[in-house]
Amino acid sequence: MLARPAVLPLKPLEVSSQIVYVLTNPAMPGLVKVGKTTQMEVEARMKQLFGTGVPVPFDCAFACQVKDAHEVEKALHFAFGNARINPNREFFKIEPERVIAVLKLLKVDDVTMQVEQQIEAEVTTVDKQSAQQMKDRRPHMRFYELGIPQGSTLLFKDGGAQATVVEDRKVIFQDEVQSLTSATRKVLGLADDYPLQPSPYWLFNGTSVKALYEAFHNSDPE
């Protein structure tokens, strides 16, 4: 019997933290939003983003604490300026993993899980279900077409759990063959019917499964 991996507790954000975030939205496939906030303003900022003009909540692909959020955001907007949709908006037609890779070079503190939890805390069950329904209308995630072969190890973002791919849409987690959604709910301690998109929570060779999915399904045909 395999021992159940320990789930590491999330480190609380400092009140004065400056945060740079990378957000995606199922209603805007192929686009990412790159912006900044502070721990004191996270709740208000996420409420502002999920306003009447956005049909479903955003997902946090990555968030990190930095010393100077203004300078980091400015540098990212400059670096990916050619992919910017509107100079007055923070949306870019780019794979989120490209932005994330740059941020990780800065040796930042990853606070993705904390920000994601704050986003989820601010939306209703109906909003979550609507977002999940929109995601479900997209092609089902299949590991093999994303370049994740049988036997591959998927690591949970906080490093406290792992799952092994055994079928095109199944993994082994806690000695049980199940969907990645089911495994994610167990790691997070959520109810079996809790609406959830699992791909942002898991990494394959250092890249989120969500980023692999977006890159595959949003790539321009040659």
Side-chain angles (χ1 to χ4, degrees):
M1 296 286 290
L2 295 175
R4 179 174 178 176
V7 179
L8 302 179
L10 293 178
K11 179 182 178 181
L13 295 174
E14 298 177 3
V15 173
S16 60
S17 296
Q18 296 192 51
I19 298 170
V20 172
Y21 55 76
V22 181
L23 305 180
T24 60
N25 192 296
M28 308 173 192
L31 299 183
V32 299
K33 180 175 178 61
V34 181
K36 69 180 187 300
T37 186
T38 66
Q39 167 55 12
M40 293 182 65
E41 299 170 342
V42 166
E43 180 178 341
R45 181 58 175 152
M46 294 308 148
K47 284 182 178 179
Q48 180 185 28
L49 290 175
F50 182 41
T52 57
V54 183
V56 293
F58 283 90
D59 292 322
C60 183
F62 188 73
C64 58
Q65 293 181 349
V66 297
K67 291 183 179 179
D68 190 329
H70 175 75
E71 287 300 318
V72 173
E73 180 197 49
K74 181 179 177 181
L76 290 172
H77 288 182
F78 177 78
F80 299 109
N82 290 338
R84 196 165 187 172
I85 302 301
N86 182 328
N88 294 322
R89 296 291 185 269
E90 299 174 336
F91 288 94
F92 299 78
K93 187 173 179 57
I94 192 173
E95 300 85 358
E97 204 60 30
R98 289 182 60 186
V99 184
I100 295 169
V102 173
L103 287 169
K104 287 184 175 180
L105 287 176
L106 301 177
K107 305 298 181 182
V108 294
D109 292 329
D110 187 339
V111 294
T112 307
M113 294 293 294
Q114 293 93 321
V115 173
E116 181 69 25
Q117 287 182 353
Q118 287 184 303
I119 292 175
E120 292 192 355
E122 296 303 321
V123 298
T124 67
T125 300
V126 172
D127 292 330
K128 295 173 185 176
Q129 291 174 340
S130 297
Q132 189 60 47
Q133 289 172 0
M134 180 165 287
K135 293 168 185 175
D136 289 343
R137 286 197 289 270
R138 302 184 69 186
H140 287 300
M141 183 180 69
R142 299 185 180 278
F143 294 121
Y144 300 164
E145 69 181 10
L146 301 185
I148 305 176
Q150 185 179 35
S152 297
T153 297
L154 303 179
L155 298 177
F156 200 72
K157 275 193 170 184
D158 69 358
Q162 66 181 44
T164 302
V165 175
V166 291
E167 299 177 20
D168 202 11
R169 296 183 60 197
K170 297 289 185 180
V171 299
I172 288 181
F173 180 70
Q174 296 177 2
D175 297 330
E176 180 184 345
V177 176
Q178 57 196 282
S179 68
L180 194 62
T181 300
S182 177
T184 308
R185 289 182 181 130
K186 290 177 180 177
V187 174
L188 297 175
L190 302 173
D192 291 342
D193 60 350
Y194 187 90
L196 178 72
Q197 216 292 328
S199 61
Y201 294 93
W202 298 88
L203 304 176
F204 174 63
N205 290 341
T207 300
S208 75
V209 176
K210 177 180 176 63
L212 294 173
Y213 178 92
E214 296 294 343
F216 181 83
H217 288 286
N218 294 324
S219 58
D220 295 327
E222 295 182 358

